[in-house]
Amino acid sequence: MRLHMAVMASGFRRYATYWAATAAGVFTNTVFGFIVAYTYIALWDQRPQLGGYDLAQAVTFVWLGQALLAASALLGGGFHEELQERIRSGDVAIDLYRPVDLQLWWLAGDLGRAAFHLLGRGIVPLLVGSLVFELTLPASPLTWLYFLTAVALGVLVSFAIRYLVALSAFWLLDGTGLNMISLVLSLFFSGMILPLNVFPGALGDLAAVLPWSAILQIPADVLLGEHQGTDLVTAFAFQAGWALALLAAGRALQSVATRKVVVQGG
């Protein structure tokens, strides 16, 4: 446990060193927040209460998406491209010799990354949005605690998905195509493009039960007060269930991949 905490702290410090990149990311998230917010305002002006949200909730959803974009790696990034390159180059052999589990090592580092981005790139855009627009933000500290819990579970689901994508490099010479597919699925089915509750019919039902909904849609709904009481417990159980299932799938795939490691190119 002490080792993993050290790796997590190292991951936090690693991303904290790139202040110029962080400032650029904050600026980009804020600009896109304004663009998407005004798009939502136009849409909700024509379709009030779309998806069960009023206008303030819809705009709040926009800024929550920008706040969680980097922390939850909805646009990719983080560890999985680095791990893919280490597999391709053969450096993963060094990782496998370490007296620590490969999956937990990368998970600890990614949690450090997510913690930094939540603080470094999440707070400012949400604050700017709250100063310009009328947002639906809870006054209860307990609701914020529930929200942070949902965010943490969403980050676990995000990591588990990206870990499976990263392990594909054991069989694929170039993971670019699969990375792009994963990116598109993440943006569409997390609710980053549009909240999932505005999706029609069977598409909406399907999107709601896929793991990507645990990354953004559920944390946002927790903060907006859409999940309360037993429904909140169900939402947490949904996130935790997907996290456990995908982490277990990653461990199984890792076992298959490392049973007989063939280093590509060496």
Side-chain angles (χ1 to χ4, degrees):
M1 180 62 70
R2 183 178 301 176
L3 173 62
H4 294 112
M5 291 301 295
V7 174
M8 181 176 174
S10 176
F12 187 98
R13 290 194 303 270
R14 174 184 178 184
Y15 285 88
T17 59
Y18 301 107
W19 284 106
T22 300
V26 169
F27 177 76
T28 302
N29 289 147
T30 304
V31 169
F32 272 95
F34 278 103
I35 294 172
V36 180
Y38 282 115
T39 303
Y40 274 37
I41 289 172
L43 177 59
W44 258 258
D45 181 61
Q46 296 298 314
R47 295 286 302 276
Q49 298 297 322
L50 179 63
Y53 289 161
D54 59 28
L55 179 59
Q57 288 177 310
V59 175
T60 303
F61 190 97
V62 171
W63 289 102
L64 288 175
Q66 295 303 314
L68 296 179
L69 183 65
S72 299
L74 289 168
L75 281 176
F79 78 95
H80 79 277
E81 291 178 356
E82 181 181 353
L83 178 53
Q84 284 177 328
E85 177 57 27
R86 292 184 68 82
I87 294 171
R88 188 197 65 78
S89 67
D91 289 341
V92 70
I94 300 173
D95 300 334
L96 295 173
Y97 271 116
R98 290 192 182 110
V100 62
D101 181 76
L102 184 69
Q103 186 185 51
L104 293 179
W105 173 276
W106 289 99
L107 173 59
D110 196 59
L111 290 177
R113 176 207 58 80
F116 172 76
H117 281 316
L118 185 62
L119 297 173
R121 287 184 58 175
I123 294 177
V124 173
L126 186 60
L127 179 60
V128 171
S130 69
L131 294 175
V132 179
F133 301 93
E134 179 185 351
L135 302 186
T136 304
L137 297 176
S140 170
L142 193 59
T143 302
W144 283 101
L145 179 61
Y146 292 151
F147 168 68
L148 291 176
T149 301
V151 169
L153 290 170
V155 169
L156 284 177
V157 173
S158 173
F159 167 83
I161 293 172
R162 287 176 290 129
Y163 190 72
L164 286 168
V165 172
L167 291 180
S168 68
F170 278 106
W171 293 275
L172 301 177
L173 291 175
D174 186 354
T176 303
L178 191 58
N179 290 346
M180 291 302 299
I181 293 173
S182 177
L183 172 62
V184 171
L185 291 173
S186 175
L187 289 176
F188 188 76
F189 285 113
S190 68
M192 191 66 209
I193 297 177
L194 275 174
L196 301 184
N197 50 16
V198 309
F199 285 17
L203 179 61
D205 294 338
L206 174 64
V209 299
L210 292 176
W212 294 279
S213 66
I215 301 174
L216 173 59
Q217 183 70 50
I218 288 181
D221 280 340
V222 168
L223 191 71
L224 293 172
E226 297 294 311
H227 295 300
Q228 297 182 5
T230 56
D231 192 37
L232 179 63
V233 175
T234 301
F236 285 158
F238 175 83
Q239 289 182 292
W242 267 119
L244 290 173
L246 291 170
L247 288 171
R251 182 162 297 277
L253 189 61
Q254 172 186 313
S255 177
V256 172
T258 58
R259 188 172 301 158
K260 182 180 179 182
V261 178
V262 176
V263 177
Q264 298 176 15

